[in-house]
Amino acid sequence: MLGPMRFTEHELTAALAGAAKTVLAADRRLRKRGVDADTAWERMDRYQRFKVLDALGDQVLPVLVALPDVDVAPGTRPTYDDAQVAEVVTGLVGQRRGRLRRAVEVKARTALVQAALAAVPPRLDPDALLRPDES
């Protein structure tokens, strides 16, 4: 059996920033003003970014580190289908809420984690020892 997924600090940081930008993109006030998520992110000061990342960290990071280990070919990123992510999320959410609220939380957190995974940069080597700026 494979162990939990090993992400580098750089990959986790990129994943969390990607999730944060997804949340920003869903902000109706920004969309009304015609501001895209990348622009809104750049306009935020370090403390504002920290608050967003801190709020998302408890939701995204435990799921990412609990995902099963997968082989990642050089030039690709780790990928998981929604069922794999939802299974991990369900285990972490537990039974602390009613069935409907739990189902909504699992679905929302699964989408957020998938957005985070999409933001992980492609790996240059299978052991994730090198980052794109170090090659």
Side-chain angles (χ1 to χ4, degrees), residues 20-79:
K21 289 178 183 180
T22 299
V23 170
L24 287 175
D27 187 329
R28 181 185 294 165
R29 294 170 300 189
L30 291 176
R31 287 195 322 264
K32 274 186 171 182
R33 287 188 258 147
V35 178
D36 70 340
D38 289 322
T39 302
W41 185 253
E42 292 303 318
R43 289 180 182 170
M44 295 171 82
D45 64 35
R46 289 172 53 135
Y47 182 67
Q48 290 170 320
R49 287 185 198 168
F50 167 78
K51 290 192 315 187
V52 173
L53 294 173
D54 187 48
L56 292 174
D58 292 340
Q59 297 178 43
V60 174
L61 294 177
V63 178
L64 291 176
V65 298
L67 288 169
D69 201 6
V70 294
D71 289 327
V72 181
T76 65
R77 59 181 49 95
T79 57

Side-chain angles (χ1 to χ4, degrees), residues 77-135:
R77 59 181 49 95
T79 57
Y80 299 88
D81 62 32
D82 285 345
Q84 290 172 301
V85 175
E87 181 180 338
V88 172
V89 170
T90 300
L92 293 172
V93 168
Q95 302 296 320
R96 66 178 185 259
R97 294 197 167 94
R99 195 178 81 224
L100 182 59
R101 282 185 183 214
R102 192 171 48 250
V104 169
E105 184 173 349
V106 167
K107 190 168 185 90
R109 196 175 298 185
T110 297
L112 190 59
V113 170
Q114 287 290 21
L117 286 167
V120 172
R123 287 196 177 163
L124 294 180
D125 68 308
D127 296 321
L129 299 175
L130 298 175
R131 293 195 319 231
D133 55 340
E134 295 176 344
S135 56

